[in-house]
Amino acid sequence: MKTPVSVSRLPRGPDPNSRGFDPSSPRYIALCHTTGTDAVHVEEEQRLRTELRERFLRSLILMSNKEVYFSMYERVQVQAKFGASDIDILNFQVSDLQTPLGVQKEAILRCQDIISYSFDL
Amino acid sequence: MQDWCKKRPHEWHKYINQEVRVTAHDKNEYQGWVFTVDPVSGSVVLVTLHGQQSTSVRVVMGHAVRDVEVLKEGDEEIAQQLNALFMPAGSQVLTNDELKRRKEDLRLWLEKNRIPVTEEEDTLRVANVLTVSPPYGSGDCSSSNEIILARVQSLIESYPGPDKEQ
């Protein structure tokens, strides 16, 4: 009897009821907890966070549809055309992923497996 | 350096426009100018400027950062170069006067084409079913009526410009 082919599942999508900005959500608590209780400090920290995040999102925009080289763990190097990222920077959607086993037309890379990635402008 | 990901935004912000050497978990060292550090993942965006020919961007994921060493402080010129790479000059910022003028020009153009339009603070309200927000381009219209939306958008796109009006 042939062994059944394992089905690969897409990662679970974001909670459809909130965008993660709910202050009591685990994501918010894990990522966005602020130190300093007074309004001035919180506002300043939010301002810096916004600037950092906006710049990072722009780097993602610049990367879209470009050939990106990923260095993963276990000395694995792959390249692919970058499509999109999810909001938490946990998964990258890529096309034409060149792997040692062949070219995957569409794939999702787990960011936890990536050490660094690079692309040319 | 322990817990790169646990740093506060103001600590990450200090690295912007500095030349750093990042040591990653694979023992590799990456050098470049810091454009930003993502506050969600702690990922460091490094830019290597090779002059006009080649510029490359390398991002080290936050969870893979072992050490970050500052090599050089960047100056205004570096900051401008980095900004120009990621934030193209095409996106202009209009002053209040320019916005007012654009709104007025558009309002007159719509009235000339017999479209009823009223002003509501910063937005223009067209036939009570469509609003045009600053900077009053064809992409700044919003309406629940598809037909009127298409008509007004094409009208805005065909606007000849203030010079021809006089």
Side-chain angles (χ1 to χ4, degrees), chain A residues 31 33 45 48-49 51-53 55-56 58-59 62 73 89 111-112 114-121, chain B residues 8-10 13 16 25-26 30 35-40 45 55-59 61 63 83 87:
Chain A
L31 295 173
H33 83 277
E45 188 167 289
L48 291 173
R49 187 186 289 277
E51 187 187 332
L52 290 169
R53 180 69 169 172
R55 287 164 81 98
F56 185 73
R58 287 194 186 275
S59 78
L62 209 61
Y73 284 95
I89 319 296
C111 291
Q112 291 295 101
I114 301 173
I115 294 177
S116 78
Y117 58 91
S118 71
F119 59 99
D120 296 322
L121 291 179
Chain B
R8 310 307 320 157
H10 68 87
H13 195 271
I16 291 184
H25 272 153
D26 56 358
Y30 304 106
F35 177 66
T36 188
V37 177
D38 178 36
V40 171
V45 179
T55 318
S56 64
V57 178
R58 168 152 320 253
V59 180
M61 305 298 303
H63 62 83
N83 284 351
M87 296 180 268

Side-chain angles (χ1 to χ4, degrees), chain B residues 22-76:
Chain B
V22 180
T23 313
H25 272 153
D26 56 358
K27 312 277 174 49
N28 275 335
E29 290 179 354
Y30 304 106
Q31 193 170 315
W33 298 94
V34 175
F35 177 66
T36 188
V37 177
D38 178 36
V40 171
S41 62
S43 305
V44 185
V45 179
L46 299 170
V47 180
T48 29
L49 304 159
H50 290 137
Q52 302 286 25
Q53 273 76 18
S54 73
T55 318
S56 64
V57 178
R58 168 152 320 253
V59 180
V60 185
M61 305 298 303
H63 62 83
V65 171
R66 280 262 302 271
D67 187 56
V68 177
E69 186 194 334
V70 177
L71 300 172
K72 213 194 294 183
E73 292 268 343
D75 54 12
E76 186 61 35

Side-chain angles (χ1 to χ4, degrees), chain B residues 47-135:
Chain B
V47 180
T48 29
L49 304 159
H50 290 137
Q52 302 286 25
Q53 273 76 18
S54 73
T55 318
S56 64
V57 178
R58 168 152 320 253
V59 180
V60 185
M61 305 298 303
H63 62 83
V65 171
R66 280 262 302 271
D67 187 56
V68 177
E69 186 194 334
V70 177
L71 300 172
K72 213 194 294 183
E73 292 268 343
D75 54 12
E76 186 61 35
E77 197 193 315
I78 294 287
Q80 275 185 10
Q81 264 187 293
L82 291 180
N83 284 351
L85 286 173
F86 291 89
M87 296 180 268
S91 51
Q92 16 135 243
V93 177
L94 298 167
T95 63
N96 274 338
D97 288 335
E98 283 166 355
L99 280 175
K100 278 207 182 76
R101 197 166 43 79
R102 277 176 77 103
K103 184 170 66 157
E104 192 54 28
D105 290 341
L106 181 58
R107 193 176 66 77
L108 291 171
W109 174 242
L110 290 173
E111 280 177 354
K112 190 165 190 266
N113 284 272
R114 301 189 211 289
I115 309 257
V117 50
T118 56
E119 277 189 41
E120 265 183 21
E121 289 181 30
D122 281 338
T123 63
L124 290 174
R125 199 150 178 81
V126 177
N128 246 355
V129 293
L130 185 148
T131 43
V132 190
S133 320

